[in-house]
Amino acid sequence: EVRLVESGGGLVQPGGSLRLSCAASGFTLSSYEMNWVRQAPGKGLEWISNISGSSIDTHYAESVKGRFTISRDNAKNSVYLQMNSLRVEDTATYYCASGRSCINGLCDDDLYFRHWGQGTLVTVSS
Amino acid sequence: DIQMTQSPSTLSANVGDKVTLTCRASQSIRTWLAWYQQKPGKAPRLLIYKASILESGVPSRFSGSGSGTEFTLTISSLQPDDFATYYCQQYNTYPWTFGQGTTVEIK
């Protein structure tokens, strides 16, 4: 069974930093692109970043570019989101979600988010 | 960025009703569209991908259609478990973007 478990959320002051973790089990993490998606309280979903299986390729939404950094450690079956210069508007539940699989350089078309974690809440407030 | 617009924002319906949710893209996304269901306090759940392919384990009363800029999600006979918020998402072009959601409420 595929399982994604986020951790690291909490209360932080504006301008502060936080590092989120996503622990994966039940599948070969290195074969999958991974994503972070967030949801502000009472609002819709916003994709914010993804990373290829080898960590070579990363993408970011404009709203977090230059402030957030996605990374992964396949040996530890984990994906991370380093969040710096946090703003009040970054307050949200952050989900990690699986993306497409790439094996031996060949990737499928499954760029949607099949598996999701339960989310971790980040609150940015003074 | 590709804008995704869902309509209606809220839909009131009865158990057993057939309901249709609409998602429009600001430019063609071919069939690179997914639908998700989300219940309060829970993570989203994938229902449909590539516009019309039903995810494994999703009841067959859910179906998706469309291509280009116009897409629909249809629930053929609404069940009590289906009252939730539904989001469409395009994965044709970065950044991946979601619609604002349609909430299906009990009438």
Side-chain angles (χ1 to χ4, degrees), chain A residues 43-71:
Chain A
K43 303 297 184 182
L45 300 166
E46 179 189 18
W47 170 85
I48 57 172
S49 184
N50 75 359
I51 185 168
S52 63
S54 62
S55 301
I56 290 176
D57 293 316
T58 59
H59 297 88
Y60 297 92
E62 281 299 321
S63 58
V64 304
K65 195 175 290 185
R67 301 186 299 121
F68 290 11
T69 303
I70 191 171
S71 63

Side-chain angles (χ1 to χ4, degrees), chain B residues 2 7 13-14 18 32 35 38 40 45 52 63 67 69 74 78-80 92 94 97-98 100-101:
Chain B
I2 296 177
S7 60
N14 292 314
K18 177 180 179 179
W32 303 121
W35 288 96
Q38 188 180 33
R45 171 197 182 193
S52 63
S63 63
S67 66
T69 61
T74 300
L78 202 61
Q79 298 302 301
N92 182 78
Y94 280 114
T97 46
F98 291 87
Q100 82 282 11

Side-chain angles (χ1 to χ4, degrees), chain A residues 85-118:
Chain A
S85 303
L86 282 161
R87 305 167 180 166
V88 170
E89 56 264 34
D90 294 318
T91 295
T93 296
Y94 286 72
Y95 297 100
C96 69
S98 64
R100 66 178 176 176
S101 68
C102 297
I103 299 174
N104 295 327
L106 294 177
C107 300
D108 61 33
D109 294 331
D110 300 343
L111 288 159
Y112 46 83
F113 313 124
R114 170 166 276 142
H115 302 291
W116 297 69
Q118 85 290 347

Side-chain angles (χ1 to χ4, degrees), chain B residues 9-83:
Chain B
S9 296
T10 306
L11 189 159
S12 298
N14 292 314
V15 172
D17 286 351
K18 177 180 179 179
V19 299
T20 299
L21 286 60
T22 298
C23 175
R24 290 186 173 86
S26 60
Q27 63 190 74
S28 176
I29 58 169
R30 295 174 284 176
T31 56
W32 303 121
L33 183 101
W35 288 96
Y36 303 86
Q37 177 193 66
Q38 188 180 33
K39 297 180 179 179
K42 300 293 186 181
R45 171 197 182 193
L46 176 68
L47 298 176
I48 301 274
Y49 59 94
K50 209 168 182 182
S52 63
I53 301 176
L54 195 67
E55 170 68 347
S56 176
V58 174
S60 59
R61 62 182 179 271
F62 291 91
S63 63
S65 66
S67 66
T69 61
E70 294 256 345
F71 301 87
T72 60
L73 173 70
T74 300
I75 309 173
S76 61
S77 178
L78 202 61
Q79 298 302 301
D81 192 48
D82 301 337
F83 292 96

Side-chain angles (χ1 to χ4, degrees), chain A residues 114-125:
Chain A
R114 170 166 276 142
H115 302 291
W116 297 69
Q118 85 290 347
T120 188
L121 178 62
V122 172
T123 303
V124 185
S125 174

